[in-house]
Short mmCIF file of all heavy atoms in Angstrom, two decimals:
data_model
loop_
_atom_site.label_atom_id
_atom_site.label_comp_id
_atom_site.label_asym_id
_atom_site.label_seq_id
_atom_site.Cartn_x
_atom_site.Cartn_y
_atom_site.Cartn_z
N ASP A 516 -90.93 206.97 228.98
CA ASP A 516 -91.75 206.46 227.89
C ASP A 516 -91.35 207.19 226.70
O ASP A 516 -91.51 206.64 225.54
CB ASP A 516 -93.23 206.74 228.19
CG ASP A 516 -93.69 205.74 229.25
OD1 ASP A 516 -93.07 204.70 229.51
OD2 ASP A 516 -94.79 206.13 229.86
N GLU A 517 -90.80 208.46 226.75
CA GLU A 517 -90.45 209.25 225.51
C GLU A 517 -89.19 208.82 224.84
O GLU A 517 -88.83 209.43 223.84
CB GLU A 517 -90.43 210.74 225.89
CG GLU A 517 -89.27 211.21 226.86
CD GLU A 517 -89.69 211.08 228.29
OE1 GLU A 517 -90.71 210.56 228.68
OE2 GLU A 517 -88.81 211.51 229.04
N PHE A 518 -88.57 207.83 225.34
CA PHE A 518 -87.28 207.43 224.81
C PHE A 518 -87.42 205.86 224.68
O PHE A 518 -86.75 205.04 225.38
CB PHE A 518 -86.04 207.70 225.64
CG PHE A 518 -84.75 207.71 224.94
CD1 PHE A 518 -84.32 208.95 224.29
CD2 PHE A 518 -83.98 206.61 224.85
CE1 PHE A 518 -83.09 208.86 223.70
CE2 PHE A 518 -82.79 206.64 224.18
CZ PHE A 518 -82.35 207.72 223.53
N PRO A 519 -88.18 205.36 223.70
CA PRO A 519 -88.48 203.94 223.59
C PRO A 519 -87.25 203.10 222.98
O PRO A 519 -86.53 203.65 222.27
CB PRO A 519 -89.67 203.88 222.65
CG PRO A 519 -89.61 205.20 221.82
CD PRO A 519 -89.00 206.12 222.71
N PRO A 520 -87.29 201.88 223.31
CA PRO A 520 -86.12 201.00 222.82
C PRO A 520 -86.24 200.56 221.47
O PRO A 520 -87.32 200.69 220.79
CB PRO A 520 -86.18 199.88 223.83
CG PRO A 520 -87.68 199.69 224.11
CD PRO A 520 -88.26 201.12 224.26
N LEU A 521 -85.09 200.04 220.98
CA LEU A 521 -85.02 199.37 219.68
C LEU A 521 -85.22 197.87 219.79
O LEU A 521 -84.60 197.34 220.64
CB LEU A 521 -83.77 199.73 219.00
CG LEU A 521 -83.32 201.10 218.60
CD1 LEU A 521 -81.96 201.32 217.97
CD2 LEU A 521 -84.54 201.94 217.84
N ASP A 522 -85.96 197.36 218.83
CA ASP A 522 -85.95 195.88 218.71
C ASP A 522 -84.84 195.38 217.95
O ASP A 522 -84.03 196.22 217.38
CB ASP A 522 -87.36 195.35 218.33
CG ASP A 522 -87.71 195.77 216.88
OD1 ASP A 522 -86.74 196.00 216.12
OD2 ASP A 522 -89.00 195.77 216.56
N SER A 523 -84.64 194.13 217.75
CA SER A 523 -83.46 193.55 217.02
C SER A 523 -83.40 194.07 215.66
O SER A 523 -82.42 194.42 215.17
CB SER A 523 -83.59 192.02 217.09
OG SER A 523 -83.40 191.54 218.42
N ALA A 524 -84.54 193.96 214.93
CA ALA A 524 -84.51 194.55 213.53
C ALA A 524 -84.19 195.98 213.43
O ALA A 524 -83.49 196.37 212.63
CB ALA A 524 -85.85 194.23 212.86
N GLU A 525 -84.75 196.78 214.32
CA GLU A 525 -84.38 198.26 214.36
C GLU A 525 -82.97 198.55 214.68
O GLU A 525 -82.39 199.39 214.12
CB GLU A 525 -85.36 198.94 215.29
CG GLU A 525 -86.84 199.04 214.83
CD GLU A 525 -87.71 199.56 216.00
OE1 GLU A 525 -87.47 199.21 217.19
OE2 GLU A 525 -88.52 200.44 215.69
N LEU A 526 -82.50 197.67 215.61
CA LEU A 526 -81.00 197.93 216.00
C LEU A 526 -80.02 197.57 214.77
O LEU A 526 -79.16 198.34 214.50
CB LEU A 526 -80.71 196.91 217.14
CG LEU A 526 -79.22 196.95 217.68
CD1 LEU A 526 -78.81 198.38 218.10
CD2 LEU A 526 -79.00 195.89 218.80
N GLU A 527 -80.37 196.48 214.02
CA GLU A 527 -79.58 196.19 212.92
C GLU A 527 -79.75 197.34 211.88
O GLU A 527 -78.67 197.76 211.25
CB GLU A 527 -80.03 194.92 212.26
CG GLU A 527 -79.17 194.50 211.10
CD GLU A 527 -79.39 193.08 210.59
OE1 GLU A 527 -80.10 192.38 211.17
OE2 GLU A 527 -78.76 192.72 209.62
N ARG A 528 -80.81 197.79 211.60
CA ARG A 528 -80.97 198.93 210.74
C ARG A 528 -80.18 200.15 211.12
O ARG A 528 -79.56 200.82 210.35
CB ARG A 528 -82.50 199.25 210.45
CG ARG A 528 -82.72 200.35 209.50
CD ARG A 528 -84.16 200.79 209.32
NE ARG A 528 -84.18 202.06 208.62
CZ ARG A 528 -85.18 202.96 208.81
NH1 ARG A 528 -86.13 202.83 209.69
NH2 ARG A 528 -85.19 204.11 208.16
N ALA A 529 -80.49 200.49 212.43
CA ALA A 529 -79.63 201.60 213.01
C ALA A 529 -78.18 201.46 212.87
O ALA A 529 -77.55 202.48 212.49
CB ALA A 529 -80.18 201.79 214.48
N LEU A 530 -77.74 200.29 213.08
CA LEU A 530 -76.24 200.04 213.08
C LEU A 530 -75.81 200.18 211.55
O LEU A 530 -74.61 200.68 211.38
CB LEU A 530 -75.93 198.73 213.60
CG LEU A 530 -75.91 198.64 215.14
CD1 LEU A 530 -75.60 197.06 215.54
CD2 LEU A 530 -75.05 199.62 215.83
N ARG A 531 -76.52 199.74 210.59
CA ARG A 531 -76.24 200.02 209.21
C ARG A 531 -76.11 201.50 208.83
O ARG A 531 -75.21 201.93 208.15
CB ARG A 531 -77.20 199.28 208.29
CG ARG A 531 -77.10 197.75 208.42
CD ARG A 531 -77.81 197.00 207.36
NE ARG A 531 -77.68 195.57 207.54
CZ ARG A 531 -76.65 194.74 207.40
NH1 ARG A 531 -75.55 195.33 206.85
NH2 ARG A 531 -76.77 193.51 207.61
N ILE A 532 -76.99 202.30 209.42
CA ILE A 532 -76.91 203.77 209.29
C ILE A 532 -75.72 204.28 209.86
O ILE A 532 -74.95 205.12 209.27
CB ILE A 532 -78.23 204.45 209.80
CG1 ILE A 532 -79.42 203.94 208.95
CG2 ILE A 532 -78.06 205.87 209.70
CD1 ILE A 532 -80.87 204.43 209.58
N VAL A 533 -75.44 203.86 211.09
CA VAL A 533 -74.25 204.37 211.91
C VAL A 533 -72.99 203.96 211.11
O VAL A 533 -72.07 204.77 211.11
CB VAL A 533 -74.28 203.73 213.26
CG1 VAL A 533 -73.03 203.86 214.04
CG2 VAL A 533 -75.32 204.35 214.04
N ALA A 534 -72.93 202.84 210.56
CA ALA A 534 -71.71 202.41 209.79
C ALA A 534 -71.46 203.25 208.56
O ALA A 534 -70.42 203.70 208.26
CB ALA A 534 -71.88 200.94 209.42
N GLU A 535 -72.62 203.69 207.93
CA GLU A 535 -72.51 204.59 206.70
C GLU A 535 -72.00 205.86 207.10
O GLU A 535 -71.29 206.55 206.43
CB GLU A 535 -73.92 204.69 206.06
CG GLU A 535 -74.38 203.45 205.30
CD GLU A 535 -75.78 203.62 204.83
OE1 GLU A 535 -76.34 204.69 204.91
OE2 GLU A 535 -76.40 202.69 204.23
N LEU A 536 -72.37 206.37 208.26
CA LEU A 536 -71.93 207.72 208.76
C LEU A 536 -70.61 207.77 209.41
O LEU A 536 -70.12 208.69 209.83
CB LEU A 536 -73.06 208.20 209.84
CG LEU A 536 -74.53 208.47 209.28
CD1 LEU A 536 -75.41 208.77 210.48
CD2 LEU A 536 -74.44 209.55 208.26
N GLU A 537 -70.09 206.47 209.63
CA GLU A 537 -68.79 206.38 210.41
C GLU A 537 -68.92 206.97 211.83
O GLU A 537 -68.08 207.68 212.31
CB GLU A 537 -67.66 207.00 209.71
CG GLU A 537 -66.90 206.00 208.83
CD GLU A 537 -66.37 204.79 209.53
OE1 GLU A 537 -65.65 204.93 210.51
OE2 GLU A 537 -66.67 203.72 209.10
N ALA A 538 -70.23 206.73 212.38
CA ALA A 538 -70.48 207.26 213.69
C ALA A 538 -70.31 206.04 214.71
O ALA A 538 -69.84 205.11 214.51
CB ALA A 538 -71.89 207.85 213.70
N THR A 539 -70.87 206.38 215.92
CA THR A 539 -70.69 205.35 217.02
C THR A 539 -72.01 205.22 217.60
O THR A 539 -72.79 206.17 217.88
CB THR A 539 -69.78 205.83 218.16
OG1 THR A 539 -68.47 205.88 217.63
CG2 THR A 539 -69.69 204.78 219.35
N MET A 540 -72.52 203.93 217.88
CA MET A 540 -73.70 203.66 218.65
C MET A 540 -73.33 203.24 219.96
O MET A 540 -72.58 202.27 220.14
CB MET A 540 -74.47 202.53 217.94
CG MET A 540 -75.80 202.24 218.62
SD MET A 540 -77.07 203.44 218.64
CE MET A 540 -77.69 203.05 216.94
N ILE A 541 -73.83 203.93 220.98
CA ILE A 541 -73.55 203.60 222.39
C ILE A 541 -74.76 202.89 222.95
O ILE A 541 -75.91 203.41 222.68
CB ILE A 541 -73.14 204.83 223.21
CG1 ILE A 541 -74.28 205.85 223.33
CG2 ILE A 541 -71.87 205.38 222.58
CD1 ILE A 541 -73.84 207.03 224.19
N VAL A 542 -74.72 201.82 223.62
CA VAL A 542 -75.82 200.92 223.84
C VAL A 542 -76.01 200.64 225.29
O VAL A 542 -74.99 200.18 226.03
CB VAL A 542 -75.69 199.61 223.11
CG1 VAL A 542 -76.89 198.74 223.29
CG2 VAL A 542 -75.40 199.81 221.67
N HIS A 543 -77.14 200.85 225.84
CA HIS A 543 -77.58 200.31 227.11
C HIS A 543 -78.04 198.85 226.96
O HIS A 543 -79.04 198.55 226.40
CB HIS A 543 -78.66 201.11 227.73
CG HIS A 543 -79.21 200.48 229.19
ND1 HIS A 543 -79.09 201.36 230.31
CD2 HIS A 543 -79.54 199.29 229.59
CE1 HIS A 543 -79.55 200.73 231.33
NE2 HIS A 543 -79.79 199.43 230.88
N ALA A 544 -77.13 197.97 227.31
CA ALA A 544 -77.24 196.58 226.87
C ALA A 544 -77.76 195.69 228.03
O ALA A 544 -77.00 195.16 228.87
CB ALA A 544 -75.80 196.01 226.45
N GLU A 545 -79.09 195.58 228.09
CA GLU A 545 -79.74 194.54 229.03
C GLU A 545 -80.84 194.00 228.15
O GLU A 545 -81.59 194.82 227.41
CB GLU A 545 -80.19 195.14 230.28
CG GLU A 545 -79.24 195.57 231.22
CD GLU A 545 -79.82 196.17 232.58
OE1 GLU A 545 -80.35 197.26 232.49
OE2 GLU A 545 -79.95 195.41 233.59
N ASP A 546 -81.04 192.66 228.14
CA ASP A 546 -82.04 192.05 227.25
C ASP A 546 -83.48 192.18 227.86
O ASP A 546 -83.58 191.79 229.06
CB ASP A 546 -81.59 190.58 227.06
CG ASP A 546 -82.56 189.82 226.18
OD1 ASP A 546 -82.42 190.03 224.93
OD2 ASP A 546 -83.53 189.16 226.74
N SER A 547 -84.40 192.74 227.13
CA SER A 547 -85.71 192.92 227.66
C SER A 547 -86.38 191.71 228.06
O SER A 547 -87.10 191.59 229.00
CB SER A 547 -86.49 193.85 226.69
OG SER A 547 -86.64 193.08 225.48
N ASP A 548 -86.22 190.70 227.18
CA ASP A 548 -87.00 189.44 227.45
C ASP A 548 -86.45 188.77 228.69
O ASP A 548 -87.26 188.23 229.53
CB ASP A 548 -86.90 188.38 226.24
CG ASP A 548 -87.76 187.27 226.40
OD1 ASP A 548 -89.00 187.43 226.46
OD2 ASP A 548 -87.28 186.17 226.31
N ALA A 549 -85.15 188.68 228.85
CA ALA A 549 -84.55 188.14 230.07
C ALA A 549 -85.03 188.84 231.35
O ALA A 549 -85.33 188.19 232.37
CB ALA A 549 -83.01 188.23 230.01
N ILE A 550 -85.09 190.16 231.34
CA ILE A 550 -85.55 190.94 232.43
C ILE A 550 -87.06 190.80 232.74
O ILE A 550 -87.44 190.62 233.90
CB ILE A 550 -85.17 192.39 232.30
CG1 ILE A 550 -83.59 192.51 232.33
CG2 ILE A 550 -85.83 193.33 233.29
CD1 ILE A 550 -82.95 193.70 232.78
N GLU A 551 -87.76 190.57 231.61
CA GLU A 551 -89.27 190.42 231.83
C GLU A 551 -89.49 189.07 232.50
O GLU A 551 -90.49 188.96 233.33
CB GLU A 551 -89.87 190.45 230.49
CG GLU A 551 -91.43 190.32 230.49
CD GLU A 551 -92.03 190.33 229.15
OE1 GLU A 551 -91.43 190.87 228.20
OE2 GLU A 551 -93.23 189.89 229.07
N HIS A 552 -88.64 188.10 232.31
CA HIS A 552 -88.80 186.78 232.92
C HIS A 552 -88.09 186.60 234.22
O HIS A 552 -88.19 185.56 234.88
CB HIS A 552 -88.39 185.63 231.97
CG HIS A 552 -89.52 185.51 230.90
ND1 HIS A 552 -89.33 186.29 229.68
CD2 HIS A 552 -90.55 184.75 230.71
CE1 HIS A 552 -90.36 185.91 228.92
NE2 HIS A 552 -91.10 185.04 229.43
N ALA A 553 -87.33 187.66 234.68
CA ALA A 553 -86.65 187.58 235.94
C ALA A 553 -87.67 187.91 237.00
O ALA A 553 -88.70 188.60 236.81
CB ALA A 553 -85.46 188.63 235.94
N PRO A 554 -87.38 187.65 238.34
CA PRO A 554 -88.19 188.11 239.41
C PRO A 554 -88.40 189.69 239.42
O PRO A 554 -87.46 190.32 239.09
CB PRO A 554 -87.44 187.67 240.70
CG PRO A 554 -86.50 186.56 240.13
CD PRO A 554 -86.21 186.88 238.81
N SER A 555 -89.55 190.03 239.83
CA SER A 555 -89.80 191.46 239.79
C SER A 555 -89.08 192.17 240.86
O SER A 555 -88.90 191.63 241.95
CB SER A 555 -91.25 191.75 239.86
OG SER A 555 -91.75 191.27 241.10
N ALA A 556 -88.66 193.41 240.68
CA ALA A 556 -88.05 194.18 241.72
C ALA A 556 -89.08 194.68 242.66
O ALA A 556 -90.16 195.19 242.34
CB ALA A 556 -87.36 195.41 241.12
N HIS A 557 -88.83 194.46 244.07
CA HIS A 557 -89.81 194.94 245.04
C HIS A 557 -89.09 195.00 246.37
O HIS A 557 -88.12 194.31 246.63
CB HIS A 557 -90.90 193.92 245.06
CG HIS A 557 -90.49 192.53 245.52
ND1 HIS A 557 -89.96 191.68 244.65
CD2 HIS A 557 -90.65 191.96 246.75
CE1 HIS A 557 -89.57 190.54 245.33
NE2 HIS A 557 -90.04 190.61 246.64
N GLY A 558 -89.65 195.85 247.23
CA GLY A 558 -89.21 195.78 248.66
C GLY A 558 -87.92 196.41 248.97
O GLY A 558 -87.15 196.92 248.12
N GLU A 559 -87.43 196.20 250.19
CA GLU A 559 -86.21 196.76 250.68
C GLU A 559 -85.00 196.03 250.54
O GLU A 559 -83.90 196.48 250.69
CB GLU A 559 -86.40 197.09 252.28
CG GLU A 559 -87.47 198.00 252.54
CD GLU A 559 -87.59 198.27 254.10
OE1 GLU A 559 -86.90 197.62 254.84
OE2 GLU A 559 -88.35 199.17 254.46
N ASN A 560 -85.13 194.62 250.24
CA ASN A 560 -83.96 193.86 250.17
C ASN A 560 -83.20 194.04 248.94
O ASN A 560 -83.65 193.79 247.76
CB ASN A 560 -84.35 192.37 250.33
CG ASN A 560 -83.25 191.39 250.47
OD1 ASN A 560 -82.67 191.08 249.42
ND2 ASN A 560 -82.88 191.09 251.68
#
């Protein structure tokens, strides 16, 4: 919980900052809405 995600607007803002700094943004790229609507993880299978 102490490392919350960025939404789309925050990601764009963050990338503009990163571009100004000539830095790199490394991204855990999985879409939250798609995973929220996928079957839930459960059980041994």
